């Protein structure tokens, strides 16, 4: 019998890249990084965003629902963010770069992730909360860029910290099946709804 070949799931590397993006976003939110650090971060976001983009395409090809979310993350956290940070840091002469456009992409990326979350209620609660944290982080980061209010910058860092931690756990769970996955999100929401109805 000939061995059957198939494309393995990229979920582990996707989660690793998500954790790195979350950590980068936390660093950006809590500190004033120098131009050299920002340039390195911009280039790494471009490289990791490209890998995540390929991983997202594999998940979409395999019919995995998280593929679309991976694709949004590749654009918002990686490719577009990397271009924005790199160009802003290098300051190319004669190139006028409008940060507001970057904020619009982050804003709609966060909104779209929130809108697609109800379709992912059958996933583990921690994975669902991970995506929600990334969405709220993008939204608050976009609002900070539009308003320059530090409150939204720190709030985005808080959400991105959760995003990094939960992505780290998701990456470990992808290679260590014995790690507890916890209940499905739909089950938890159902229990909370029943508890609320019984208390009324």
């Amino acid at each position: 019998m000939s061995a059957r070949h198939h494309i393995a799931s990229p979920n582990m590397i996707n989660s690793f890249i998500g954790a790195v993006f979350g950590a980068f976003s936390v660093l950006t939110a809590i500190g004033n990084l120098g131009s050299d650090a920002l340039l390195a971060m911009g280039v790494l976001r471009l490289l990791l965003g490209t890998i995540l983009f390929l991983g997202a395409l594999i998940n979409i090809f395999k019919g995995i629902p998280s593929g679309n979310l991976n694709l949004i993350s590749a654009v918002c956290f990686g490719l577009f963010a990397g271009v924005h940070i790199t160009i802003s840091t290098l300051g190319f002469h004669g190139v006028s770069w409008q940060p507001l456009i970057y904020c619009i992409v982050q804003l709609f990326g966060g909104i779209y992730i929130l809108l697609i979350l109800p379709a992912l209620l059958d996933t583990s609660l921690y994975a669902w909360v991970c995506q929600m944290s990334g969405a709220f982080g993008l939204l608050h980061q976009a609002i900070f860029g539009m308003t320059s209010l530090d409150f939204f910058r720190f709030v985005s860092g808080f959400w991105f910290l959760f995003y990094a931690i939960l992505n780290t756990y998701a990456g470990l769970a992808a290679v260590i099946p014995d790690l507890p996955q916890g209940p499905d999100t739909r089950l938890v929401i159902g229990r909370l709804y029943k508890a609320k109805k019984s208390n009324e």
Side-chain angles (χ1 to χ4, degrees), residues 65-90:
S66 60
N68 290 319
L69 289 177
N70 296 150
L71 201 58
I72 296 173
S73 298
V75 173
C76 293
F77 288 105
L79 301 176
F80 199 79
V83 170
H84 169 74
I85 294 173
T86 302
I87 292 180
S88 299
T89 304
L90 292 177

Side-chain angles (χ1 to χ4, degrees), residues 53-196:
F53 185 84
L54 295 176
L57 293 181
I58 292 174
N59 274 341
I60 292 175
F61 176 77
K62 293 169 68 71
I64 298 175
S66 60
N68 290 319
L69 289 177
N70 296 150
L71 201 58
I72 296 173
S73 298
V75 173
C76 293
F77 288 105
L79 301 176
F80 199 79
V83 170
H84 169 74
I85 294 173
T86 302
I87 292 180
S88 299
T89 304
L90 292 177
F92 292 114
H93 296 292
V95 176
S96 180
W97 186 254
Q98 174 54 259
L100 179 61
I101 304 302
Y102 171 72
C103 295
I104 291 174
V105 173
Q106 304 299 84
L107 180 68
F108 278 92
I111 291 173
Y112 191 85
I113 293 175
L114 289 179
L115 291 176
I116 204 173
L117 282 179
L120 301 174
L121 292 177
D122 293 326
T123 59
S124 298
L125 180 62
Y126 81 88
W128 195 85
V129 173
C130 176
Q131 297 296 339
M132 183 188 70
S133 300
F136 280 132
L138 289 173
L139 289 175
H140 285 94
Q141 187 180 64
I143 295 173
F144 165 69
M146 295 176 178
T147 64
S148 297
L149 296 176
D150 284 335
F151 170 78
F152 294 106
R153 176 164 64 94
F154 292 127
V155 172
S156 71
F158 171 81
W159 287 115
F160 286 135
L161 179 61
F162 272 101
Y163 185 72
I165 293 173
L166 293 175
N167 261 306
T168 301
Y169 188 85
L172 292 174
V175 294
I176 307 176
D178 293 336
L179 284 179
Q181 295 296 301
D184 287 349
T185 308
R186 190 184 303 277
L187 180 62
V188 174
I189 294 177
R191 288 175 179 173
L192 292 175
Y193 179 75
K194 290 180 180 178
K196 179 181 179 182

